[in-house]
Amino acid sequence: MRRSTVRVFCGLLLIALTNLAQGASVGQPLPALNISQIGEVLLQGDSVSYKPWDSQESVSKPHILQYLPGTLSASSMYSPFTDALLAQYEPLRFHFTTIIDLEAALWGTGIFVTSEVEKSKREFPLSTMVLDKLGSGIDAWSLGKSGAGLFIIDSEGVVQFLTLGKMSAEEQQQASEIFALLMQN
């Protein structure tokens, strides 16, 4: 009986460690994430459509990626940092992706969240906007309880900076310095 208990415990521990290893980490490529339920917002004139989004699609320039819960309080979580970047750097020199977790939206507010994302896509047409109906990014990137993360990824797809939840002033400074170095190349 004891051996089977030890085996079960070891198996569960191995699964937990494997899940931890799958999360995003600095110095490693961003783990794959495919969002097929809703997906990337596409504009065709005044029409809006969606297509599946894959994090492994090539981006050959520095990339800021933010994953946010679909709530009003989270919508501006990284704004001080991202607004500063947008003001400082030419948008054609880097890529910006925002993924919104619709599963985190309050019941009945998903349509409003979707409308706001579509509005943002019209305001920032060069940015990628993605709606994640199932909250897939939380587990894929080990985002934890906050369900939010900001990543700076180099042109090779390697994570150079990441923060989970709200950014401290020190993290904003560090992220700005890392991004500036990437923009020099």
Side-chain angles (χ1 to χ4, degrees), residues 79-136:
S79 292
F81 174 70
T82 57
D83 290 350
L85 290 183
L86 291 169
Q88 187 174 0
Y89 296 102
E90 173 62 38
L92 293 174
R93 293 188 57 216
F94 67 98
H95 193 76
F96 195 89
T97 298
T98 299
I99 304 171
I100 303 296
D101 174 10
L102 286 178
E103 188 176 65
L106 296 173
W107 187 84
T109 64
I111 193 149
F112 300 111
V113 173
T114 300
S115 176
E116 284 300 310
V117 171
E118 291 172 359
K119 186 172 142 185
S120 292
K121 178 64 178 176
R122 286 183 172 90
E123 187 178 348
F124 302 102
L126 297 176
S127 295
T128 299
M129 306 282 179
V130 181
L131 293 168
D132 182 4
K133 183 177 182 179
L134 302 177
S136 308

Side-chain angles (χ1 to χ4, degrees), residues 1-182:
M1 188 73 141
R2 245 182 215 196
R3 283 187 186 176
S4 64
T5 303
V6 170
R7 285 184 186 148
V8 169
F9 177 75
C10 288
L12 291 173
L13 182 61
L14 181 61
I15 290 169
L17 291 174
T18 301
N19 286 340
L20 284 175
Q22 291 176 354
S25 59
V26 173
Q28 297 296 316
L30 187 65
L33 175 61
N34 296 303
I35 298 174
S36 59
Q37 294 216 6
I38 303 191
E40 182 178 351
V41 179
L42 302 173
L43 297 177
Q44 242 3 59
D46 287 339
S47 299
V48 175
S49 62
Y50 301 91
K51 74 168 190 156
W53 181 81
D54 182 351
S55 65
Q56 303 299 300
E57 290 178 2
S58 65
V59 175
S60 59
K61 49 189 162 185
H63 192 162
I64 302 293
L65 188 147
Q66 60 181 350
Y67 189 97
L68 298 166
T71 62
L72 185 57
S73 62
S75 66
S76 60
M77 183 179 290
Y78 301 121
S79 292
F81 174 70
T82 57
D83 290 350
L85 290 183
L86 291 169
Q88 187 174 0
Y89 296 102
E90 173 62 38
L92 293 174
R93 293 188 57 216
F94 67 98
H95 193 76
F96 195 89
T97 298
T98 299
I99 304 171
I100 303 296
D101 174 10
L102 286 178
E103 188 176 65
L106 296 173
W107 187 84
T109 64
I111 193 149
F112 300 111
V113 173
T114 300
S115 176
E116 284 300 310
V117 171
E118 291 172 359
K119 186 172 142 185
S120 292
K121 178 64 178 176
R122 286 183 172 90
E123 187 178 348
F124 302 102
L126 297 176
S127 295
T128 299
M129 306 282 179
V130 181
L131 293 168
D132 182 4
K133 183 177 182 179
L134 302 177
S136 308
I138 293 171
D139 290 333
W141 295 334
S142 299
L143 298 179
K145 289 182 183 180
S146 72
L150 182 129
F151 307 86
I152 297 176
I153 305 162
D154 67 18
S155 59
E156 304 297 318
V158 175
V159 176
Q160 298 299 314
F161 174 87
L162 73 85
T163 187
L164 304 179
K166 197 166 188 162
M167 283 179 94
S168 67
E170 294 81 24
E171 286 175 316
Q172 288 183 42
Q173 180 62 37
Q174 180 187 14
S176 294
E177 291 170 4
I178 290 169
F179 194 73
L181 288 172
L182 290 176

